[in-house]
């Protein structure tokens, strides 16, 4: 038996990177998985390759989110697991424009809240389940010229605790996985802009160089942590932040 046999899971930002890694691991563990993403080409390809349901939506668009979540329940059955993974990288300090702040907050903070808002009634109707938010090492540390991104990830840490408290009586556990540097599509793109290979990117202080293990993680390594938190093995875990950061915060 798989650790998630027959459970219905929704992974936002599931077309590539960390989200795809989580979707792969969940499917292998027996879950029935839907991925939500605004990238139609990548989402369609991932869904076809892995045998998943693809839903096109932007997590900051509430009508689109509501429609997508309702579709999961109608096509796959009672939703039991939500992974709030969708996020964007806006890496700016005080020079960030109002538009840049509004966009990063809309996707990285309001997005997870909106998806949870419309997913929780379905999870409640299923008798309970789990929400796994994808935070970051950036939720807890200071990094140069990353004010916009780190502020939104700090909000995810607090959101996780608040939702854990609010949803405990509904038998819904809420936890966060907080990765360090991961070879996601966004990190790969940032490395390419600098002309770096993966090994060279691991030498950057904002990436692998600050981690005890001195490397960049694979998305599936984050997927295994998210699998634990969604499974019955974590039945007494809620409001927690699981650091999967290669020892970054230990320093």
């Amino acid at each position: 038996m798989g650790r998630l046999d027959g459970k219905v899971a929704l992974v936002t930002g599931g077309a590539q990177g960390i989200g795809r890694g989580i979707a792969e691991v969940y499917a292998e563990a027996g879950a029935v998985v839907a991925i939500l993403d605004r990238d139609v080409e990548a989402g369609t390809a991932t869904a076809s390759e892995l045998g998943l349901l693809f839903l096109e939506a932007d997590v900051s668009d509430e009508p689109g989110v509501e429609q997508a979540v309702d579709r999961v329940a109608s096509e796959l059955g009672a939703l039991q697991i939500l992974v709030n993974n969708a996020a964007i990288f806006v890496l700016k300090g005080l020079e960030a424009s109002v538009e840049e702040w509004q966009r990063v907050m809309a996707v990285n903070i309001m997005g997870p809240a909106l998806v949870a808002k419309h997913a929780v009634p379905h999870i409640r109707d299923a008798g309970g389940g789990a929400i796994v938010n994808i935070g970051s090492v950036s939720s807890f540390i200071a990094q140069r010229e990353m004010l916009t991104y780190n502020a939104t990830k700090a909000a995810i840490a607090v959101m996780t605790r608040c939702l854990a408290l609010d949803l405990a009586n509904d038998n819904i556990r809420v936890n966060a996985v907080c990765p360090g540097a991961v070879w996601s599509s966004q990190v790969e793109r940032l490395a390419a802009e600098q002309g770096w290979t993966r090994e060279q990117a691991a030498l950057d202080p904002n990436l692998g160089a600050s981690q005890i293990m001195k490397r960049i993680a694979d998305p599936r390594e984050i997927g295994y942590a998210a699998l634990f938190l969604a499974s019955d093995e974590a039945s007494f875990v809620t409001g927690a932040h699981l650091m999967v950061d290669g020892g970054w915060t230990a320093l």
Side-chain angles (χ1 to χ4, degrees):
M1 288 182 60
R3 294 160 71 184
L4 299 180
D5 266 354
K7 293 187 176 182
V8 177
L10 172 61
V11 181
T12 70
Q16 51 196 328
I18 291 174
R20 177 183 169 125
I22 294 171
E24 286 180 358
V25 170
Y26 277 20
E28 290 167 5
V32 181
V33 182
I35 57 172
L36 182 153
D37 207 291
R38 62 181 182 176
D39 188 331
V40 176
E41 182 177 356
T44 301
T46 294
S48 176
E49 182 180 344
L50 301 180
L52 314 176
L53 173 65
F54 170 63
L55 307 161
E56 179 189 358
D58 184 322
V59 293
S60 66
D61 172 40
E62 185 168 15
V65 165
E66 182 177 16
Q67 183 179 25
V69 172
D70 288 346
R71 185 179 162 198
V72 173
S74 64
E75 295 191 22
L76 300 183
L79 180 64
Q80 294 158 291
I81 300 166
L82 167 64
V83 179
N84 271 319
N85 168 71
I88 60 173
F89 279 11
V90 176
L91 308 181
K92 294 288 183 72
L94 288 175
E95 77 279 5
S97 67
V98 170
E99 291 74 18
E100 287 170 327
W101 271 113
Q102 289 174 333
R103 183 57 183 159
V104 74
M105 290 192 295
V107 175
N108 293 12
I109 302 176
M110 188 171 68
L114 288 176
V115 179
K117 174 183 177 180
H118 292 286
V120 162
H122 293 286
I123 301 174
R124 186 184 291 124
D125 289 345
I131 297 174
V132 180
N133 293 324
I134 304 303
S136 171
V137 65
S138 302
S139 301
F140 302 100
I141 67 171
Q143 292 167 286
R144 294 185 185 279
E145 303 302 323
M146 291 181 60
L147 171 62
T148 46
Y149 181 75
N150 288 35
T152 65
K153 285 302 182 179
I156 292 299
V158 177
M159 184 187 300
T160 297
R161 292 192 178 110
C162 289
L163 288 178
L165 180 62
D166 290 345
L167 300 177
N169 290 338
D170 294 312
N171 193 33
I172 300 173
R173 297 180 298 102
V174 187
N175 294 289
V177 175
C178 297
V182 181
W183 196 245
S184 65
S185 55
Q186 292 172 318
V187 170
E188 187 174 0
R189 183 167 58 252
L190 289 171
E193 290 172 358
Q194 298 296 324
W196 293 339
T197 64
R198 180 168 177 170
E199 290 72 23
Q200 291 170 324
L203 300 176
D204 183 79
N206 280 328
L207 296 171
S210 295
Q211 302 177 152
I212 290 175
M213 299 182 75
K214 304 299 182 188
R215 67 175 177 85
I216 297 177
D218 291 317
R220 286 178 63 93
E221 292 180 288
I222 312 308
Y224 292 125
L227 171 60
F228 166 68
L229 291 175
S231 74
D232 292 338
E233 296 160 15
S235 58
F236 199 56
V237 181
T238 197
H241 303 105
L242 178 54
M243 307 305 298
V244 188
D245 63 355
W248 195 329
T249 47
L251 296 174

